[in-house]
C-alpha cells in the first residue's frame, strides 16, 4: 500500500520562506516521478511543481517559477519543496504526490499522479 506523508507547513509573512518535505512508502522511491500540488479554499487542486525520478527534470507552474524549487534526495527517499518570497496567494493546503494511474489521478508535465498525502497547511499573511 502506497503511503505519502508531508511535513513542514506553517504560517509566515509575505516575503518569507518555508521548506516542505515528503516521504513515500510502499513504492520504490527512485523509480517514480514526484510532485507537489496545492488546493486553496474554493479552488481546484493544481500542480505546483513536479520532478522526474532522478531529479534532473523539474517543472513548475507559472505562478511559482523563480520562487519555488523542487528537489529530491533519493538516498533519503525524500522530496522537498523550497518556497521563497511567499505571497498571500500561495496560501493553500499543499499535497505531495507520487506517480500512479489511479482513478483520481491528476495529470501534470507528462505524468499521472495518483497517490497523495493528507496535506500540510501553508498560510501566508500580508
Amino acid at each position: 500500500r502506497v503511503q505519502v506523508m508531508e511535513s513542514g507547513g506553517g504560517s509566515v509573512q509575505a516575503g518569507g520562506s518555508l521548506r516542505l518535505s515528503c516521504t513515500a512508502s510502499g513504492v520504490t522511491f527512485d523509480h517514480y516521478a514526484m510532485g507537489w500540488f496545492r488546493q486553496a479554499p474554493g479552488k481546484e487542486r493544481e500542480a505546483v511543481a513536479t520532478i522526474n525520478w532522478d531529479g534532473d527534470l523539474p517543472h513548475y507552474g507559472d505562478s511559482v517559477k523563480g520562487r519555488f524549487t523542487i528537489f529530491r534526495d533519493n538516498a533519503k527517499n525524500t522530496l522537498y519543496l523550497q518556497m521563497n518570497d511567499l505571497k498571500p496567494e500561495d496560501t493553500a493546503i499543499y499535497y505531495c504526490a507520487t506517480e500512479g494511474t489511479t482513478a483520481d489521478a491528476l495529470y501534470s508535465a507528462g505524468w499521472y499522479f495518483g497517490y497523495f498525502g493528507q496535506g500540510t497547511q501553508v498560510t501566508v499573511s500580508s
Side-chain angles (χ1 to χ4, degrees), residues 38-45 88-93 121-122:
R38 68 186 181 187
Q39 188 165 16
K43 296 187 176 181
E44 292 189 352
R45 193 171 297 188
E89 51 264 42
D90 295 317
T91 295
I93 299 174
Q121 177 71 47
V122 172

Side-chain angles (χ1 to χ4, degrees), residues 27-34 52-54 72 74 98-99:
V27 293
T28 305
F29 185 83
D30 61 359
H31 285 191
Y32 295 98
M34 299 287 294
N52 68 326
W53 67 274
D54 69 353
R72 63 194 295 166
N74 286 343
T98 186
E99 190 182 353

Side-chain angles (χ1 to χ4, degrees), residues 34-100:
M34 299 287 294
W36 289 99
F37 293 73
R38 68 186 181 187
Q39 188 165 16
K43 296 187 176 181
E44 292 189 352
R45 193 171 297 188
E46 65 173 356
V48 174
T50 62
I51 194 165
N52 68 326
W53 67 274
D54 69 353
D56 66 352
L57 284 176
H59 183 271
Y60 299 95
D62 289 341
S63 63
V64 305
K65 282 180 182 177
R67 300 187 298 121
F68 290 11
T69 302
I70 186 172
F71 60 103
R72 63 194 295 166
D73 185 341
N74 286 343
K76 296 181 179 180
N77 285 3
T78 304
L79 175 75
Y80 302 94
L81 183 69
Q82 178 66 41
M83 305 185 293
N84 297 330
D85 190 23
L86 282 159
K87 303 177 180 181
E89 51 264 42
D90 295 317
T91 295
I93 299 174
Y94 283 70
Y95 298 90
C96 175
T98 186
E99 190 182 353

Side-chain angles (χ1 to χ4, degrees), residues 1-4 27 34 96-102 105 112-117:
R1 176 176 165 229
V2 179
Q3 290 187 297
V4 180
V27 293
M34 299 287 294
C96 175
T98 186
E99 190 182 353
T101 52
T102 64
Y112 285 94
F113 294 90
Y115 301 99
F116 290 80

